[in-house]
Structure formats: structure tokens, C-alpha cells
Amino acid sequence: MTDTKNAPRVLVVDDDSNLLELLSMRLSTAGYEPAACADEETALAQVQNSIFDLAIVDLQLEETDGITLMQKIHAECPGLPVIILTAHGSIESAVDAMMKGAFNYLTKPFDPKELLLQVERAAENRALTSELKRLKEFIGQQFEISNIIARSAGMHHVLEKISAIAKTDSTVYIQGESGTGKELVAKAIHMAGSRRDRPFVAVNCAAIPEGLIESEMFGHEKGAFTGAVKNTKGLFMQAHEGTIFLDEIGDMPMLMQAKLLRVLQERKFYPVGSEIAQDVDVRVIVATNKNLEDEVKKGTFREDLYYRIHVIPVYLPALRERKEDIPLLTRHFIDRYNSRMNRKVSGLAPEALHKLMMHDWPGNVRELENTIEYAVAMTQEGFIDEKLILSTKDFSADALQPQPLKQARDEFESGYLTRLMQFTSGNVSRAADLAGRYRADLYGLLKKHGITPEDFKKSV
Ligand SMILES: Nc1ncnc2c1ncn2[C@@H]1O[C@H](COP(=O)(O)OP(=O)(O)OP(=O)(O)O)[C@@H](O)[C@H]1O
Ligand SMILES: [Mg+2]
């Protein structure tokens, strides 16, 4: 470590001037930049005025003890690794210091090699922590609401709802066909709320085998079952103070549904094999591509759980119901894959875009994304032409074959009703006037299409 420009800065606090000098000298020789302080006041002034990578603090200072000083330093500079110097035999205080957030301790008199080893570890830890923070900020930006493409009225409505509910802690219920952006929306809600610096834990309930799901969710005690060789923290605990995203909740086995209901009611759970309840503070977001009301009727989803999770519903419209989003989404994905694949595709030929607009997109945004990824990878022209789009999948049916009239009419009706609800903010009487129908008729139509006027009311 000879590059003084990047030399890690070490705050050293000791009232023994000889030791202070010795420590500073050792650190400088090893390439660090020490700031020597003989008392608390000087040390705190230093922390307030400059940036440090770590601190070494003597446990027994004249006017105060090192642990209290460490806590004051942490109040200014959370996460700064602090190494505590203890006198021989005061191991209890050293342990106490560790419990209160010290990075490590050194017993005096210490071996110079041991000192440098500890300091190096602390500096490394500091570098890693700030890298993590930078990554988190990056992810935060990635999932800012502004990253969700929403030109259509349907998606605008979704965004408005996200902004309104992000600051609350209520359970959110996201329903949408596969590939409509459920996970993206769940992350955006997390990132827009006060839990953004805490974990977002996504669980695909359909992907965990039935026999393992409880221990995956709640963790287990060592010896709880064959193969449980140590205590394991479950996904709920990993999400503590953050958000747990239960994806495909409709596929959760019945037994697990009962246990989940209990956690949601009591905010505590029992790890498998343990009799001690653990408290957990999580925001819950669930997603499903099924209509869970139907599952309740069929008896495959618990009704009580449905009402517990169906607190704030967010419905993501299928891409075919908001085709006006296609041009912007396409641009967004061209940019994404240009940067991931280091390509410079400029755009799309008008006929190619026309093909994309005509398609029905059963796989929704994800299908569109895959199509664009393929096209960006394959194009030799610097832009995406119609031929390339046609080669990605069979678009022929789109252009040649009109839909059956009933399907076309249903689609139109559903889109019309959604726009009507948006326009009137869910006011059915006004909507009935505008549509020239009786209120009761309109209610019937809304019900047929599963559209709930309450979802369009301005306040959520
Ligand atoms: N409105 C949008 N703006 C930008 N990107 C989007 C939008 N909607 C979806 N995407 C992108 O489409 C892909 C699929 O979205 P996501 O995984 O959130 O969908 P999903 O509903 O969870 O899908 P599945 O049901 O397949 O799990 C992701 O890459 C996501 O970033
Ligand atoms: Mg998903």
C-alpha cells in the first residue's frame, strides 16, 4: 500500500501518548493515513469533519470509555469498522464491545503483525460495505417508478396506485397474466417506500416442493428433520424490516396457506422444530396470474387468506389491452439490449413496428422483450426490419385471420369499460350516463369483465 492518494484513513484514539505515537507510526509505515487523537472531543471533531475508513479506539480513556465513544462515532458515521484496544484480562469488555458493534478487538500489548492484519480486514470490510451500498443505490435507480413504461391509461392508473400505496405498509395484491410486469411492480412498490434500504425477498411459491415450503419460509432448528444439520433462517426472517414478495401465491399448498394466514394475523411464526415464536416485521406483496376468487370457489384457496391478502388490489392489464405501450416498451428494450450486448441498433422499421402492434402477445411484456432481445442480437442492418420480426415467430395468423366477432367484441367492451371507469374515477352513475345505459346494466357489464369501480376511485 504505497499509493497515498488512496491510503485508507484511520482514526486512532488513545490517551496514552506513547502508544498513540507508536500506533500512528506503524500505520503510516504500512501505508495508512492515521489521524491521532488523544481525547474524545478531538476524535468527534475529526469524525464530523472528515471521512474515515476505520477507527482504533482504546477501551479505557481518561474521561470516557471506548465503547461509549464508539457509539458516538457510529452515530456520526454508521457502519464505520471500529477496532477496540483492551488491556490484558478485560475480555468481558471486549465481548461487550463486539456486541455493541465493534468490528474486532486487540489485546494490549499487541503484536504488530496482528494489528496490521486486523486493520487490513477492517479496511476491506469497509470497501465491501460501500460497494454494497453503491449496488443498492444502483438497483434503487433501476426500479424507480420512472423505469416502468406506462403510456396507456391502464398503466397510468397502476402507477398512480403504486405511488399512493408505497408509503403505507398494507398488503398489496397484484393480479395479472404472466409477463405483465408483476414482479417489476412489486419491486417498484418496495423501492418507493420507506423499506427501500431493507431486503426485498422474492419467493416463487410454485417452485418450492410442498415438503420443503414450510422450512424454506420459516426456517428450521437443527435436528428438526433428517438433513437439518444446523439452524436455518427462513425467507420471512431474511425479509425482516423489508418486503416479502410471494409470487404465484395461488399455487401455495393448503397446509401452508393456513400457516401463512397465521403469520399475517400475528406477525410471528415458529421455525420448524422450534417452540419459540419469532416476531417479524415485513411488508407483504403477493402476486397471482390466476383469478383467486375462482380458486376460492373451487376450494383450492382459503377464503380467509384471500380476504387477508386482498387488501389493496392492483390489476395489471394484458399487453393486448394497452397496445399503445408497445412503441415505448420496444424502445426501452432496444436500449436495454444495446447496452447489454454492446450493440448500436438504432430502431425499428415502421412495418416492423406495425407487426408488433398487430400481434396479440399472449406472453405479454416478457414475450415482447424476448422478441426484441432476439432481434437486437440478430440484426445485421443497424436497425430492426419487418423480415427479422417475422422470423422470430409466426405473426402470419395476426394479419390474415380476424378474431371471432365475440372475442373482438369482448375485448373492445372490456377496454371501453376500463376507460370509462378511469374517466369517471369509478363513479358508476356518471359512467352510466356517459355510456347511455342504466346503472344496473352497467354494473352487470362491469361484473362480467371483472372490473371493480372501487379500484378506480381517486383515494386509495
Ligand atoms: N411496464 C413495463 N415497463 C418496462 N419493463 C417492463 C414493464 N412490464 C414488464 N416489463 C419487463 O418485462 C419482463 C417481465 O416482467 P415481470 O417479470 O415483472 O412479469 P411477471 O408478471 O412477474 O411475469 P411472470 O408471470 O412470467 O412471472 C421484465 O424484464 C420486466 O422488466
Ligand atoms: Mg413473475
Side-chain angles (χ1 to χ4, degrees):
M1 247 180 273
T2 44
D3 181 3
T4 49
K5 213 168 59 212
N6 292 321
R9 299 204 64 214
V10 188
L11 179 78
V12 191
V13 196
D14 203 318
D15 49 11
D16 173 343
S17 57
N18 288 334
L19 191 59
L20 190 61
E21 202 175 314
L22 180 72
L23 275 167
S24 304
M25 199 187 69
R26 292 240 156 87
L27 289 167
S28 311
T29 317
Y32 294 91
E33 195 187 322
C37 309
D39 54 43
E40 175 182 69
E41 203 183 325
T42 328
L44 288 176
Q46 284 277 1
V47 201
Q48 277 158 3
N49 296 321
S50 52
I51 294 173
F52 288 96
D53 294 286
L54 67 128
I56 303 178
V57 177
D58 189 19
L59 182 69
Q60 273 171 327
L61 294 167
E62 238 159 54
E63 332 94 279
T64 180
D65 68 292
I67 297 181
T68 314
L69 177 57
M70 172 181 78
Q71 289 172 326
K72 290 184 184 165
I73 293 175
H74 276 161
E76 282 299 324
C77 186
L80 185 77
V82 176
I83 298 171
I84 295 281
L85 299 179
T86 66
H88 186 65
S90 57
I91 186 84
E92 268 168 34
S93 328
V95 172
D96 185 36
M98 299 282 288
M99 302 279 281
K100 292 188 168 134
F103 178 75
N104 215 333
Y105 66 91
L106 277 171
T107 317
K108 291 190 278 194
F110 44 79
D111 169 26
K113 268 199 220 130
E114 178 66 16
L115 166 78
L116 291 179
L117 190 71
Q118 293 284 359
V119 167
E120 197 177 319
R121 276 205 199 128
E124 256 169 33
N125 173 275
R126 181 64 169 170
L128 273 180
T129 324
S130 36
E131 173 64 7
L132 205 66
K133 189 157 165 258
R134 200 188 59 73
L135 267 178
K136 271 200 178 151
E137 278 165 8
F138 175 71
I139 293 171
Q141 283 157 8
Q142 286 262 303
F143 289 107
E144 255 182 37
I145 293 186
S146 59
N147 249 318
I148 301 181
I149 305 291
R151 172 176 283 177
S152 61
M155 283 305 290
H156 265 219
H157 183 64
V158 169
L159 286 197
E160 268 172 28
K161 208 155 187 185
I162 295 178
S163 324
I165 62 186
K167 303 280 183 276
T168 74
D169 255 350
S170 316
T171 302
V172 182
Y173 174 95
I174 306 174
Q175 190 181 328
E177 287 182 14
S178 105
T180 44
K182 297 185 291 294
E183 185 151 355
L184 184 69
V185 164
K187 279 186 186 143
I189 295 173
H190 172 74
M191 293 311 303
S194 56
R195 293 171 181 262
R196 65 184 316 155
D197 293 327
R198 311 297 302 160
F200 174 88
V201 177
V203 188
N204 184 342
C205 302
I208 310 176
E210 184 158 354
L212 290 181
I213 193 161
E214 185 179 355
S215 99
E216 284 286 313
M217 294 274 207
F218 302 147
H220 59 251
E221 293 274 284
K222 179 177 168 183
F225 47 83
T226 332
V229 287
K230 57 180 175 55
N231 291 359
T232 304
K233 221 168 157 184
L235 296 163
F236 263 94
M237 221 49 213
Q238 288 172 30
H240 186 54
E241 294 178 337
T243 303
I244 192 161
F245 172 53
L246 302 172
D247 201 359
E248 317 248 7
I249 192 158
D251 291 311
M252 187 177 268
M254 275 302 220
L255 194 66
M256 191 61 210
Q257 290 178 24
K259 301 205 162 156
L260 176 64
L261 179 68
R262 218 173 55 202
V263 190
L264 296 185
Q265 280 166 343
E266 296 166 17
R267 299 284 154 175
K268 55 176 64 154
F269 62 86
Y270 295 88
V272 177
S274 163
E275 279 166 13
I276 303 164
Q278 295 196 347
D279 291 315
V280 68
D281 163 25
V282 285
R283 176 179 207 167
V284 179
I285 303 181
V286 308
T288 171
N289 53 21
K290 298 181 179 170
N291 182 342
L292 284 192
E293 240 170 298
D294 290 347
E295 302 296 313
V296 169
K297 280 186 203 129
K298 277 193 267 170
T300 53
F301 200 84
R302 289 181 68 113
E303 188 172 16
D304 45 8
L305 180 58
Y306 175 73
Y307 287 112
R308 258 291 153 184
I309 56 177
H310 197 265
V311 183
I312 302 181
V314 175
Y315 295 98
L316 289 183
L319 187 57
R320 65 182 166 281
E321 292 160 8
R322 46 172 166 122
K323 287 194 170 173
E324 59 270 47
D325 285 342
I326 292 177
L328 273 189
L329 280 168
T330 304
R331 185 71 253 168
H332 176 70
F333 293 134
I334 292 178
D335 293 343
R336 172 179 289 178
Y337 289 100
N338 267 342
S339 99
R340 285 200 193 158
M341 298 176 188
N342 207 6
R343 305 219 62 187
K344 290 197 180 64
V345 176
S346 60
L348 208 67
E351 303 78 32
L353 182 61
H354 183 67
K355 281 281 170 299
L356 297 180
M357 296 293 279
M358 297 290 287
H359 189 55
D360 239 7
W361 303 106
N364 294 296
V365 185
R366 186 186 299 288
E367 186 190 353
L368 176 64
E369 176 171 2
N370 293 343
T371 306
I372 301 301
E373 176 180 3
Y374 174 85
V376 170
M378 298 305 283
T379 181
Q380 304 295 330
E381 312 289 341
F383 69 98
I384 298 167
D385 63 10
E386 187 185 10
K387 224 168 71 220
L388 188 54
I389 289 295
L390 288 175
S391 71
T392 60
K393 55 175 62 161
D394 186 13
F395 282 95
S396 53
D398 293 339
L400 300 175
Q401 235 179 32
Q403 297 162 290
L405 180 62
K406 182 175 176 334
Q407 194 184 332
R409 197 161 50 202
D410 278 352
E411 270 178 26
F412 170 79
E413 211 168 70
S414 158
Y416 174 80
L417 292 169
T418 307
R419 284 193 297 278
L420 199 58
M421 283 297 107
Q422 270 149 7
F423 188 75
T424 60
S425 302
N427 181 332
V428 181
S429 307
R430 245 194 99 209
D433 272 351
L434 287 171
R437 287 293 191 108
Y438 292 114
R439 263 174 61 113
D441 282 355
L442 193 64
Y443 266 122
L445 281 173
L446 291 168
K447 192 160 190 302
K448 174 177 145 196
H449 290 282
I451 297 169
T452 321
E454 281 69 37
D455 289 346
F456 296 84
K457 299 251 192 284
K458 275 282 180 252
S459 56
V460 244

